[in-house]
Amino acid sequence: MNSGIERVARAVPTLPLVLGVTDGMLNALTLAGGALFHGNGDGPTLLLALRVGIATLVTATFTMFVADYAERRSSLVRAARQLNLTVRGQLAATNLGRRAFHESLLAMTVAAGASLAGAFIPLALGATLPGPSWTVVALTVGMLGVFGWLLGGVLAGRRAIWACAMTLGGAAVTVIGVWLDIA
């Protein structure tokens, strides 16, 4: 059973996963922070969670694909130059170029799903839990800290430093989100 889980874990690219989850939670804090602190008293709603989740999904999808594919293609162009290939883009036109495209699609899919989950889950939980709306902020910042703790363990780093950095980053983004008061 573990070998199947390990195989899936190896297949999921780390950068898009971490970027997506972190981006989703930070977008939730930025876009919904003002509504959660300055709102009309309705508090978070599932519609707000869905709207913010879709916004993060769209931006993560586009940004991740463009950045990842550009990085992969630029590596192929550099390799072709180092191999003294005479036709520009010759290496990118091979199976390596198609593989780069497919790997970028995978990275995009992982980042988009992780970003949607990172934004939607804390806001949706906040919409269903009783209490003041600012508890959603505390929940999201706490989830960032837990994610940092997990990252520290997976990356063989100092868990406490990862958790503190992610928590402080979430708190800073919340302050900016409340100040911007977007949603």
Side-chain angles (χ1 to χ4, degrees), residues 44-50 117 119-129 136 139:
T45 64
L46 287 175
L47 181 60
L48 177 65
L50 185 62
F120 180 78
I121 290 171
L123 292 176
L125 281 173
T128 58
L129 295 174
V136 177
L139 174 70

Side-chain angles (χ1 to χ4, degrees), residues 4 10 17 37 57-58 71 73 83 93 97 109-110 125 130 138 154 166-167 173 177 180-181:
R10 280 193 306 266
L17 180 65
F37 278 99
L57 175 134
V58 169
E71 179 63 26
R73 289 287 297 228
L83 292 171
T109 303
V110 169
L125 281 173
V154 169
M166 295 289 279
T167 302
V173 167
L180 291 173
D181 199 10

Side-chain angles (χ1 to χ4, degrees), residues 73-87:
R73 289 287 297 228
S74 69
S75 293
L76 291 174
V77 169
R78 275 193 308 275
R81 194 172 34 246
Q82 290 172 348
L83 292 171
N84 293 321
L85 297 177
T86 57
V87 179

Side-chain angles (χ1 to χ4, degrees), residues 10-52:
R10 280 193 306 266
V12 175
T14 305
L15 176 67
L17 180 65
V18 172
L19 179 95
V21 171
T22 305
D23 179 59
M25 285 193 238
L26 293 178
N27 270 304
L29 292 169
T30 303
L31 296 174
L36 297 173
F37 278 99
H38 301 141
N40 57 9
D42 293 341
T45 64
L46 287 175
L47 181 60
L48 177 65
L50 185 62
R51 288 173 48 217
V52 171

